[in-house]
mmCIF file of all heavy atoms in Angstrom:
data_model
loop_
_atom_site.group_PDB
_atom_site.id
_atom_site.type_symbol
_atom_site.label_atom_id
_atom_site.label_comp_id
_atom_site.label_asym_id
_atom_site.label_seq_id
_atom_site.Cartn_x
_atom_site.Cartn_y
_atom_site.Cartn_z
ATOM 1 N N THR S 1445 -8.059 15.379 -19.186
ATOM 2 C CA THR S 1445 -8.088 16.647 -19.925
ATOM 3 C C THR S 1445 -6.829 17.462 -19.671
ATOM 4 O O THR S 1445 -6.219 18.007 -20.604
ATOM 5 C CB THR S 1445 -9.327 17.463 -19.513
ATOM 6 O OG1 THR S 1445 -10.507 16.706 -19.781
ATOM 7 C CG2 THR S 1445 -9.380 18.784 -20.258
ATOM 8 N N LEU S 1446 -6.431 17.526 -18.412
ATOM 9 C CA LEU S 1446 -5.261 18.325 -18.048
ATOM 10 C C LEU S 1446 -3.969 17.725 -18.598
ATOM 11 O O LEU S 1446 -2.974 18.438 -18.787
ATOM 12 C CB LEU S 1446 -5.177 18.449 -16.525
ATOM 13 C CG LEU S 1446 -4.502 19.700 -15.948
ATOM 14 C CD1 LEU S 1446 -5.189 20.959 -16.446
ATOM 15 C CD2 LEU S 1446 -4.517 19.647 -14.429
ATOM 16 N N SER S 1447 -3.975 16.416 -18.868
ATOM 17 C CA SER S 1447 -2.772 15.740 -19.353
ATOM 18 C C SER S 1447 -2.546 15.917 -20.850
ATOM 19 O O SER S 1447 -1.441 15.632 -21.346
ATOM 20 C CB SER S 1447 -2.860 14.240 -19.047
ATOM 21 O OG SER S 1447 -2.877 13.999 -17.656
ATOM 22 N N ALA S 1448 -3.558 16.369 -21.570
ATOM 23 C CA ALA S 1448 -3.432 16.516 -23.017
ATOM 24 C C ALA S 1448 -2.304 17.490 -23.353
ATOM 25 O O ALA S 1448 -2.315 18.643 -22.917
ATOM 26 C CB ALA S 1448 -4.758 17.006 -23.604
ATOM 27 N N GLY S 1449 -1.328 17.014 -24.087
ATOM 28 C CA GLY S 1449 -0.197 17.838 -24.484
ATOM 29 C C GLY S 1449 1.024 17.708 -23.599
ATOM 30 O O GLY S 1449 2.097 18.256 -23.910
ATOM 31 N N LEU S 1450 0.931 16.970 -22.484
ATOM 32 C CA LEU S 1450 2.095 16.829 -21.596
ATOM 33 C C LEU S 1450 3.254 16.093 -22.267
ATOM 34 O O LEU S 1450 4.408 16.256 -21.867
ATOM 35 C CB LEU S 1450 1.708 16.082 -20.309
ATOM 36 C CG LEU S 1450 0.889 16.836 -19.259
ATOM 37 C CD1 LEU S 1450 0.729 15.977 -18.015
ATOM 38 C CD2 LEU S 1450 1.532 18.173 -18.900
ATOM 39 N N GLU S 1451 2.932 15.309 -23.306
ATOM 40 C CA GLU S 1451 4.006 14.591 -24.004
ATOM 41 C C GLU S 1451 4.978 15.552 -24.686
ATOM 42 O O GLU S 1451 6.103 15.172 -25.048
ATOM 43 C CB GLU S 1451 3.419 13.620 -25.031
ATOM 44 C CG GLU S 1451 2.679 14.256 -26.189
ATOM 45 C CD GLU S 1451 1.222 14.588 -25.866
ATOM 46 O OE1 GLU S 1451 0.811 14.438 -24.680
ATOM 47 O OE2 GLU S 1451 0.495 15.000 -26.794
ATOM 48 N N ASN S 1452 4.581 16.808 -24.851
ATOM 49 C CA ASN S 1452 5.459 17.805 -25.476
ATOM 50 C C ASN S 1452 6.271 18.600 -24.458
ATOM 51 O O ASN S 1452 7.113 19.415 -24.846
ATOM 52 C CB ASN S 1452 4.618 18.769 -26.317
ATOM 53 C CG ASN S 1452 3.874 18.062 -27.436
ATOM 54 O OD1 ASN S 1452 4.445 17.199 -28.102
ATOM 55 N ND2 ASN S 1452 2.608 18.408 -27.638
ATOM 56 N N PHE S 1453 6.006 18.378 -23.163
ATOM 57 C CA PHE S 1453 6.759 19.087 -22.134
ATOM 58 C C PHE S 1453 8.173 18.525 -22.033
ATOM 59 O O PHE S 1453 8.396 17.326 -22.212
ATOM 60 C CB PHE S 1453 6.064 18.946 -20.773
ATOM 61 C CG PHE S 1453 4.944 19.924 -20.543
ATOM 62 C CD1 PHE S 1453 3.948 20.112 -21.500
ATOM 63 C CD2 PHE S 1453 4.874 20.671 -19.376
ATOM 64 C CE1 PHE S 1453 2.912 20.998 -21.291
ATOM 65 C CE2 PHE S 1453 3.839 21.570 -19.160
ATOM 66 C CZ PHE S 1453 2.860 21.743 -20.115
ATOM 67 N N ARG S 1454 9.108 19.392 -21.722
ATOM 68 C CA ARG S 1454 10.505 18.993 -21.580
ATOM 69 C C ARG S 1454 10.915 19.074 -20.114
ATOM 70 O O ARG S 1454 10.316 19.808 -19.318
ATOM 71 C CB ARG S 1454 11.421 19.901 -22.421
ATOM 72 C CG ARG S 1454 10.953 20.136 -23.836
ATOM 73 C CD ARG S 1454 10.772 18.845 -24.609
ATOM 74 N NE ARG S 1454 12.049 18.177 -24.881
ATOM 75 C CZ ARG S 1454 12.141 16.935 -25.368
ATOM 76 N NH1 ARG S 1454 11.043 16.214 -25.580
ATOM 77 N NH2 ARG S 1454 13.324 16.414 -25.607
ATOM 78 N N ALA S 1455 11.924 18.359 -19.779
ATOM 79 C CA ALA S 1455 12.400 18.311 -18.394
ATOM 80 C C ALA S 1455 12.674 19.715 -17.868
ATOM 81 O O ALA S 1455 13.416 20.490 -18.486
ATOM 82 C CB ALA S 1455 13.664 17.459 -18.309
ATOM 83 N N GLY S 1456 12.068 20.045 -16.729
ATOM 84 C CA GLY S 1456 12.341 21.312 -16.067
ATOM 85 C C GLY S 1456 11.760 22.532 -16.720
ATOM 86 O O GLY S 1456 11.986 23.653 -16.238
#
Side-chain angles (χ1 to χ4, degrees):
T1445 301
L1446 208 57
S1447 296
L1450 286 186
E1451 65 276 7
N1452 299 317
F1453 277 49
R1454 313 303 291 170

